[in-house]
Amino acid sequence: MNTAPHITRRRRAALLLLAPCTALAAVSEAPSHLDEIVVVGAKTARPRWSVPAPVTVITQERLQREQAQSLGDLSRYEATLESDVDTPRFGATGLSIRGIGGNRVALEFDGVPLPQQFNVGNFADSSRLSLDPAIVKRIEILRGPASALYGSDALGGVMVIDSVDGRDLVEPGRNYYAGGNAGYFGGNDSAMGQGTFAYAAAADALVTSFSYRSGDEPDNRARGVASDRVDFTQWQSFSKWTHDFANGGTLRASLDYFQRAAGSDLHALLGFGRFATTTRLAGDDQQDRWRATVTYALPRLGWMDEGSVMLYRQDDSSRQFTDEDRLGPTGHALLLERNFKLRERGYGGELRTRWNFNSGALEHVLVSGVEWDDSRLTESRTGLSTDHVSGQISSTLLGERFPLRDMPVSDTTEVGVYAQDEIILGPVSIVPALRWDHFDLNATTDSIFTDVARMTDLEDDDLTLRLGATWRVLTSLALYANYAEGFRAPPAADVNLYLDLAALNVRALPNPDLKPERSRNVEAGLRFDAHGTRFEAGAYYAR
């Protein structure tokens, strides 16, 4: 039985070496990639060379060239990026940066945090990667702690995902775009199809897209070895409308829906451990997520060079049903049926501003903002045991009486205020950043979870700091150094998880004294880009 992982303090040291790559362009036409613009390092567009941390940019063209079928495929060609893979039944459920994974990497889609992962043993594991790459315009990955800008969960790093706009697809001089593609992939015998329509006029743009995928388990087993069988279908719809106002402001409204369903027939676990007497193990899983986002990019107002307001609402639900045939203690054949449900509903927003100003010979790029997020997490399990010989039906399995909740219904409110000032003097920039976060967890009883003694509320706040520096030694060479802190507010699943499985010697109790997880990272590195050759190296120490 896997419960929420407990993280102890540990020392980590590593040397990161990104292999050089050569651009497919003539030497005389090769641009300087050090001037590439990124957003993840400052929450506003800045030259990549000025970010005092490793940043990777993955474009839509690269996703298509590498035939990425899911966000989990991003790890194939990226150093220090790995997919968190459960059994073949659940597949990739998250991403790890430098060995820090689970919910300890901040994942954002158009500024909205992707749902959290939650797992209970071998029968339930929700995924954070509920997004098809078909609608992705650009992905930026920041390695190392980044809570000074992104708050809770950014212990290991940040992945920021942007969706396409209508104007990204419509060519100049035209008003419409219509396109699609289809493909087959032998790695898991999957087929995909995708269609997109876009419209762009003087002030308005619209894009709508639909994608579908179906396939089975990855073909990675040894010959003659029984493998787990998985059949899945997945589809996603996406629409975004953009309107440019005469005063310079821009309004973006988007709506997307994602669904993945999978049926599995599992063999690898049979005959081992807790499945020593199991003869059949089958799963039927489905995840649904929808999201609505409205963003207004403010026109330039007096001292404010850039500003935006974003509001969102999203709902993510997982239902996972498991059938198991096994021999009971009396030697009778039993049918065990388990049903797991998880739902995370959230809404929130962000106000962000940027102010460019000078103080003497120093240039300043001051970015500040306020973030707010409210979420409700609801989890439950039901189960039945049927004796094939006597026909007796029981709602008690392995000592657990169903229905039950492993944690109470939990409401979490998080508020963060941040500021970062990039101070520039010629080729040198100093980047201090500070963020204050407040989080409040409230648990409630209901008809299923009635024991007040098994739950606790939690309220706390945290300050995180970042201090970085960059030096553009040459047009083609930049050096950077960085100290960054990360923190993670105690999630509801860690604070109030309750399990009591006497048959398996497993017990988990609520922890009212749980403190935030923290990480500290010191790093230095260099970036080189000249004549179509690009090279980056860095060393870091994290605790």
Side-chain angles (χ1 to χ4, degrees), residues 405-411 441-446 448-458 492 494-498 508-513:
R405 299 193 193 280
D406 298 291
M407 60 182 178
V409 176
S410 303
D411 294 293
L441 169 64
N442 291 292
T444 57
T445 58
D446 61 3
I448 300 178
F449 198 105
T450 59
D451 190 353
V452 179
R454 285 171 43 193
M455 68 182 197
T456 184
D457 294 338
L458 190 65
D494 287 7
V495 176
N496 281 318
L497 184 71
Y498 182 88
L509 298 176
N511 186 354
D513 300 318

Side-chain angles (χ1 to χ4, degrees), residues 168-409:
D168 297 325
L169 302 174
V170 178
E171 296 181 357
R174 296 178 178 271
N175 294 112
Y176 299 96
Y177 165 88
N181 58 77
Y184 170 80
F185 304 92
N188 60 354
D189 290 330
S190 64
M192 65 83 64
Q194 187 251 341
T196 302
F197 172 81
Y199 166 80
D204 294 279
L206 174 70
V207 59
T208 182
S209 176
F210 179 86
S211 60
Y212 175 84
R213 300 179 191 269
S214 65
D216 54 34
E217 72 282 350
D219 186 12
N220 57 3
R221 68 187 185 280
R223 292 181 180 178
V225 176
S227 68
D228 296 330
R229 302 294 185 182
V230 180
D231 296 305
F232 74 89
T233 59
Q234 172 182 304
W235 67 276
Q236 177 175 265
S237 62
F238 171 80
S239 296
K240 180 193 284 187
W241 169 64
T242 305
H243 178 77
D244 297 325
F245 293 95
N247 64 358
T250 300
L251 179 68
R252 288 180 171 86
S254 63
L255 178 67
D256 65 273
Y257 178 80
F258 173 93
Q259 182 188 92
R260 178 183 171 90
S264 55
D265 184 10
L266 308 177
H267 300 278
L269 297 173
L270 304 186
F272 299 96
R274 61 182 300 189
F275 300 102
T277 62
T278 299
T279 57
R280 184 179 69 92
L281 188 63
D284 182 9
D285 310 321
Q286 181 170 315
Q287 181 177 14
D288 298 83
R289 180 192 61 80
W290 68 265
R291 176 200 63 117
T293 309
V294 177
T295 303
Y296 179 55
L298 301 168
R300 185 170 180 174
L301 301 172
W303 62 269
M304 187 177 66
D305 293 278
E306 179 188 350
S308 64
V309 179
M310 184 270 290
L311 297 173
Y312 72 87
R313 174 76 167 88
Q314 72 174 344
D315 195 321
D316 180 78
S317 62
S318 297
R319 182 200 61 78
Q320 296 169 337
F321 183 79
T322 305
D323 262 357
E324 179 183 0
D325 286 329
R326 67 159 55 191
L327 295 178
T330 62
H332 289 187
L334 301 178
L335 169 62
L336 307 183
E337 299 172 283
R338 297 176 176 86
N339 192 6
F340 168 80
K341 293 182 180 180
L342 178 72
R343 185 180 184 186
E344 181 181 351
R345 291 171 288 174
Y347 57 91
E350 180 179 9
L351 170 64
R352 180 179 53 83
T353 64
R354 191 193 79 206
W355 179 26
N356 297 353
F357 64 96
N358 294 333
S359 59
L362 301 178
E363 301 177 38
H364 296 261
V365 180
L366 178 62
V367 177
S368 60
V370 179
E371 287 183 325
W372 151 66
D373 179 81
D374 262 301
S375 63
R376 164 165 284 197
L377 191 64
T378 307
E379 179 264 357
S380 66
R381 287 190 291 137
T382 60
L384 288 176
S385 172
T386 303
D387 190 313
H388 284 301
V389 176
S390 66
Q392 182 179 359
I393 298 176
S394 173
S395 59
T396 300
L397 281 71
L398 298 177
E400 289 187 299
R401 184 177 296 276
F402 295 98
L404 59 79
R405 299 193 193 280
D406 298 291
M407 60 182 178
V409 176

Side-chain angles (χ1 to χ4, degrees), residues 475-510:
T475 302
S476 58
L477 177 65
L479 307 179
Y480 67 84
N482 187 41
Y483 168 77
E485 297 176 347
F487 98 101
R488 179 184 184 232
D494 287 7
V495 176
N496 281 318
L497 184 71
Y498 182 88
L499 290 172
D500 195 356
L501 304 177
L504 300 176
N505 293 321
V506 172
R507 194 178 193 200
L509 298 176

Side-chain angles (χ1 to χ4, degrees), residues 12-19 53-56 58 62 72-84 94-102 104-105 107 141-145 155-159 480 521 523 536-542:
R12 296 176 180 268
L15 176 66
L16 170 64
L17 183 64
L18 302 185
V55 176
T56 297
I58 299 176
R62 176 178 164 181
D73 290 341
L74 300 178
S75 63
R76 288 185 297 185
Y77 306 111
E78 281 301 320
T80 72
L81 183 68
E82 298 177 350
S83 295
D84 296 334
L95 290 168
S96 297
I97 296 179
R98 294 177 174 175
I100 305 297
R104 296 169 178 84
V105 171
L107 302 179
I141 302 170
L142 176 67
R143 294 170 171 82
L155 275 83
V158 179
M159 176 181 290
Y480 67 84
N521 185 86
E523 184 160 0
E536 183 169 350
Y540 68 92
Y541 173 81

Side-chain angles (χ1 to χ4, degrees), residues 51-210:
V51 179
V55 176
T56 297
V57 177
I58 299 176
T59 62
Q60 186 183 54
E61 291 76 16
R62 176 178 164 181
L63 291 173
Q64 294 174 352
R65 184 173 65 250
E66 296 179 357
Q67 299 183 358
Q69 305 303 298
S70 68
L71 294 183
D73 290 341
L74 300 178
S75 63
R76 288 185 297 185
Y77 306 111
E78 281 301 320
T80 72
L81 183 68
E82 298 177 350
S83 295
D84 296 334
V85 180
D86 202 305
T87 61
R89 172 180 178 178
F90 301 118
T93 57
L95 290 168
S96 297
I97 296 179
R98 294 177 174 175
I100 305 297
N103 295 320
R104 296 169 178 84
V105 171
L107 302 179
E108 291 190 355
F109 178 48
D110 286 344
V112 179
L114 289 176
Q116 298 290 294
Q117 183 200 15
F118 181 82
N119 71 297
V120 179
N122 301 99
F123 306 111
D125 198 338
S126 62
S127 174
R128 303 189 71 194
L129 307 182
S130 54
L131 182 68
D132 193 291
I135 60 172
V136 172
K137 172 185 176 181
R138 178 184 174 98
I139 298 174
E140 296 183 13
I141 302 170
L142 176 67
R143 294 170 171 82
S147 292
L149 282 180
Y150 290 91
S152 181
D153 298 345
L155 275 83
V158 179
M159 176 181 290
V160 173
I161 306 168
D162 292 327
S163 62
V164 295
D165 284 349
R167 288 191 175 85
D168 297 325
L169 302 174
V170 178
E171 296 181 357
R174 296 178 178 271
N175 294 112
Y176 299 96
Y177 165 88
N181 58 77
Y184 170 80
F185 304 92
N188 60 354
D189 290 330
S190 64
M192 65 83 64
Q194 187 251 341
T196 302
F197 172 81
Y199 166 80
D204 294 279
L206 174 70
V207 59
T208 182
S209 176
F210 179 86

